[in-house]
Amino acid sequence: MDICTLSATDLSRRMAAGQLTARTVMEAFLDRIAALNPGLNAIVSLRPEADLLAEAEAMDRLPRRGWLHGMPLAVKDLVATRGLRTTYGSPLHADFVPEADDLIAARMREAGAIFIGKTNTPEWGQGSHSYNPVHGVTRNPYDLTRTAGGSSGGAGAALAARLVPVADGSDMMGSLRNPAAFCNVYGFRPSWGLVPQDAEGDTFLSTLTTDGPMGRSPEDIAHFLEILAGPNPGTPFGRTAEPYSDLLTTGIKGKRIGWLADWDSAYPVEDGILELCRGALAAFEDLGAIVEPIAAPFPAEDLWDSWTVLRSAITARAKRDLFDDPAKRALTKPETLWEIETGLTRTAADLFRASEIRSRWYATAARLYDRFDALALPSAQVWPFPADWTWPREVAGRAMDSYHRWMEITVPVSLIGLPCLLLPAGFGADGLPMGVQLFGPTGSDARILAMGHAYHRATNWPSQRPPVF
């Protein structure tokens, strides 16, 4: 039995039954990390082996604490972890060791996880390519010359290579959806507020980013989501979690999916992506669902206008000190400085206009869900690109006017905080993975996961084409 290839659900079940010890599991994953991580650079700040084995042995002696009991996990390097180096990909924090966990890290610990290290991310999580001056670049398990995406690129690569059983990600502009697609795994962006923020800074206006689970199956994601989700009394807009892992067997027959393709050509997409993604949705049709092409329901340029205003303003608020302090500015990536500088020009009128556009799109999407159970879009506009790029300057012959314009196809979901499951869609002609965004109305997390579960049982792409080194 290859322990590292077991699903997280099966691994947890076997550990609970006493068929596997935490030490045995830890040894297996550490051996695999030693063999494969040097070529990937997915896991960073790896703790000493002796410390991890001792902690695993201690967990074997303790009463079972939760679904993650004794499992080795690497936490995204944007999440503060008590006693474990957290760099945010920035040289300004290269040696930072937090004294306390962020909320989701605390919830993982409470459920019994053993933190082995961190997963790599872009500097400050900005841009969908995981490279930074502290840890370097994370590479794609399916082609080591290509990017694993970002900002949860280390998580996506580690999952695909079977270096961890599940992983946490975060998503503002596709930051867990893009790497999941590029690495042939699943990623779930929950309804905004289901996985709450920490009670720090602004928690009323900053509603674009959320943490979420990543895994090699929707079942693993459902179990992990039960740990991460649930209100934080110190923050607004909290949502009550459901028993997602018990709600996965909903039937697919008769479900209606609206296929938005490239949003009536508003989003340039590289050759082969639309065809692969539409072909992947045929699995739903084989299960009795109806997939219907639909016209773009809202002007893409309005969505982009709203998004860029809100994103830059939030970034400027959160990171202005990086811009104002010359010493910090010298150690900050140009894309982050550009976001801050742009955000500082936003007026109150700009913010209200952006919010009004956002509100109109939310109402428009709600009417679409009177007709459809879910909507679908490609996960990305490009195939995994060379790892030595910073970002794609051109997509399908169209110049990109910012470092994140090539990720624009994720904005319809992100702008209004809809639940979205990234489905692996298969592989292109050159063997690179791609994925499909399946998203529903606010609060439909259980339904979207159940649809994904049926899709996974019919396709199981992560096991059909495991990465080859």
Side-chain angles (χ1 to χ4, degrees):
M1 176 178 58
D2 186 343
I3 289 173
C4 299
T5 63
L6 295 174
S7 72
T9 301
D10 195 12
L11 185 63
S12 181
R13 185 182 303 118
R14 289 171 185 254
M15 294 175 77
Q19 297 169 2
L20 289 171
T21 66
R23 182 187 170 98
T24 300
V25 170
M26 182 64 71
E27 288 175 337
F29 277 100
L30 290 180
D31 286 348
R32 190 168 182 87
I33 289 167
L36 300 182
N37 193 58
L40 289 172
N41 196 35
I43 296 177
V44 297
S45 300
L46 187 66
R47 293 174 56 201
E49 179 178 357
D51 293 350
L52 291 170
L53 292 176
E55 189 169 339
E57 288 181 352
M59 292 297 282
D60 283 329
R61 295 189 293 269
L62 293 173
R64 188 167 172 82
R65 293 164 57 182
W67 186 75
L68 292 174
H69 188 93
M71 279 198 203
L73 253 63
V75 182
K76 187 172 178 178
D77 205 22
L78 299 182
V79 176
T81 42
R82 173 175 44 83
L84 178 56
R85 186 168 69 143
T86 302
T87 74
Y88 310 99
S90 168
L92 296 169
H93 295 275
D95 300 312
F96 175 54
V97 178
E99 295 182 358
D101 285 328
D102 280 346
L103 178 63
I104 67 162
R107 288 182 172 183
M108 286 185 265
R109 257 195 234 269
E110 289 168 5
I114 300 175
F115 293 164
I116 61 173
K118 308 303 286 281
T119 54
N120 203 24
T121 182
E123 183 179 336
W124 297 115
Q126 292 186 303
S128 195
H129 177 24
S130 295
Y131 70 94
N132 62 69
V134 181
H135 298 297
V137 64
T138 296
R139 298 179 179 273
N140 194 305
Y142 288 89
D143 183 339
L144 296 178
T145 71
R146 303 283 175 149
T147 179
S151 61
S152 307
L159 278 169
R162 281 62 174 168
L163 306 185
V164 291
V166 288
D168 67 292
S170 58
D171 191 296
M172 188 181 208
M173 194 178 177
S175 282
L176 64 75
R177 288 167 283 164
N178 226 19
F182 282 6
C183 295
N184 189 38
V185 296
Y186 290 85
F188 187 63
R189 179 188 166 108
S191 292
W192 197 86
L194 181 58
V195 177
Q197 306 174 80
D198 283 82
E200 298 175 358
D202 168 53
T203 58
F204 274 89
L205 296 179
S206 300
T207 56
L208 298 181
T209 301
T210 181
D211 295 297
M214 300 174 69
R216 292 190 294 271
S217 73
E219 184 178 24
D220 288 352
I221 282 177
H223 281 288
F224 197 14
L225 182 61
E226 291 168 356
I227 293 166
L228 301 179
N232 175 5
T235 61
F237 314 122
R239 295 183 179 277
T240 302
E242 298 179 69
Y244 301 105
S245 60
D246 294 332
L247 301 172
L248 293 173
T249 56
T250 303
I252 292 297
K253 188 173 183 179
K255 299 288 187 186
R256 301 183 65 88
I257 300 172
W259 168 233
L260 288 157
D262 59 1
W263 209 269
D264 290 350
S265 301
Y267 303 137
V269 179
E270 288 185 342
D271 289 345
I273 291 177
L274 290 176
E275 295 79 8
L276 184 74
C277 292
R278 179 58 184 88
L281 294 176
F284 287 107
E285 293 174 308
D286 292 342
L287 294 168
I290 300 162
V291 179
E292 178 184 333
I294 58 174
F298 202 86
E301 60 270 24
D302 289 353
L303 297 177
W304 183 248
D305 180 25
S306 176
W307 177 259
T308 52
V309 168
L310 294 170
R311 178 184 170 101
S312 63
I314 289 169
T315 301
R317 174 202 59 79
K319 296 183 171 64
R320 181 166 183 168
D321 64 309
L322 302 179
F323 187 81
D324 289 342
D325 184 327
K328 292 180 179 179
R329 189 164 63 242
L331 293 174
T332 300
K333 68 190 288 187
E335 291 82 3
T336 298
L337 295 177
W338 176 81
E339 284 276 14
I340 298 168
E341 188 172 17
T342 302
L344 292 174
T345 70
R346 306 303 190 187
T347 66
D350 293 333
L351 293 174
F352 274 100
R353 176 175 50 81
S355 187
E356 287 169 354
I357 293 170
R358 188 187 195 188
S359 301
R360 284 193 285 111
W361 167 226
Y362 190 95
T364 301
R367 290 193 293 272
L368 283 174
Y369 289 120
D370 290 338
R371 296 167 49 203
F372 296 102
D373 296 281
L375 302 175
L377 278 167
S379 62
Q381 296 164 240
V382 299
W383 298 99
F385 53 84
D388 59 0
W389 290 11
T390 52
W391 46 274
R393 262 56 179 187
E394 181 181 287
V395 178
R398 194 180 305 180
M400 299 290 99
D401 57 8
S402 73
Y403 79 100
H404 53 6
R405 191 67 183 254
W406 64 275
M407 301 154 59
E408 188 176 1
I409 206 163
T410 67
V411 167
V413 168
S414 296
L415 186 62
I416 54 176
L418 301 180
C420 180
L421 180 63
L422 189 286
L423 308 171
F427 299 81
D430 54 4
L432 294 173
M434 186 47 60
V436 174
Q437 300 177 78
L438 186 75
F439 53 103
T442 299
S444 65
D445 303 73
R447 180 205 305 171
I448 296 299
L449 287 171
M451 294 178 71
H453 180 63
Y455 172 88
H456 177 73
R457 293 175 69 182
T459 59
N460 197 4
W461 279 112
S463 68
Q464 285 193 37
R465 290 284 299 277
V468 177
F469 295 86

